[in-house]
Amino acid sequence: MRFVEFNTSTNWTGNLPTDNWLAIILTKAKNKNYFDEIIRKSIDRNVSFICSIGEQQELVHELADEEIAYRDVDIEPLHLPEHKIITTGHADLEEGIWFGIYTASNDECDIEEVVIINATNDAINGQEITDLITKFQQGYIPTND
């Protein structure tokens, strides 16, 4: 599992795998250009599953589906993995991360790694996510209250 901070001033994509991975994109403020960049670069690196979480999860889910459909029509020679990319969105942080780690799957390819991409520009950090994953490993399962 990796935790990547999205930052336009760094080479954040160098921390992404190149095959068989799931992207969990943490969202908050609406910045369509940033979300577009994350989605495009994830697809270019053969992501298997895109799971968006947070306030803008619906927007990211829609943008991912649109980018996949655009690349699929072959108008321009844009990269699209041989496998189908699955997309989901979740409003709740705990439920979304639990889903991404323990439930998400793609029948066309194995998911070997989960990468959490923080696109929130706020206090959500690696330690908070690490603490949450530790809770999961100790048996905690989020509930839909």
Side-chain angles (χ1 to χ4, degrees):
M1 174 144 356
R2 298 181 202 187
F3 187 84
V4 175
E5 289 286 343
F6 172 78
N7 186 331
T8 57
S9 65
T10 64
N11 181 17
W12 65 275
T13 57
N15 294 317
L16 300 180
T18 56
D19 280 309
N20 300 352
W21 64 288
L22 178 143
I24 294 176
I25 303 171
L26 305 179
T27 72
K28 190 167 184 175
K30 181 177 181 177
N31 193 324
K32 184 179 180 296
N33 292 333
Y34 291 169
F35 298 148
D36 280 337
E37 179 180 348
I38 292 168
I39 292 163
R40 283 192 320 272
K41 291 186 177 182
S42 295
I43 294 171
D44 288 344
R45 294 180 75 92
N46 300 312
V47 70
S48 300
F49 202 116
I50 297 174
C51 178
S52 57
I53 301 173
E55 292 176 16
Q56 299 298 322
Q57 55 87 16
E58 287 182 32
L59 173 63
V60 172
H61 187 173
E62 289 172 12
L63 291 171
D65 287 344
E66 288 172 8
E67 181 66 20
I68 293 165
Y70 176 73
R71 291 178 182 219
D72 194 36
V73 295
D74 288 328
I75 293 172
E76 296 179 29
L78 298 172
H79 174 74
L80 193 59
E82 292 182 16
H83 58 267
K84 181 176 172 185
I85 301 171
I86 300 170
T87 63
T88 63
H90 306 267
D92 182 74
L93 178 71
E94 289 185 354
E95 189 274 329
I97 291 181
W98 190 89
F99 174 86
I101 293 171
Y102 295 106
T103 305
S105 66
N106 186 330
D107 292 341
E108 295 185 14
C109 63
D110 293 332
I111 296 173
E112 297 175 0
E113 187 167 8
V114 174
V115 178
I116 299 171
I117 303 170
N118 184 11
T120 64
N121 297 321
D122 69 7
I124 294 177
N125 60 45
Q127 187 60 51
E128 182 179 353
I129 301 301
T130 300
D131 293 345
L132 181 58
I133 291 168
T134 299
K135 280 175 58 175
F136 294 157
Q137 291 169 339
Q138 295 170 349
Y140 173 74
I141 298 174
T143 59
N144 292 337
D145 291 336

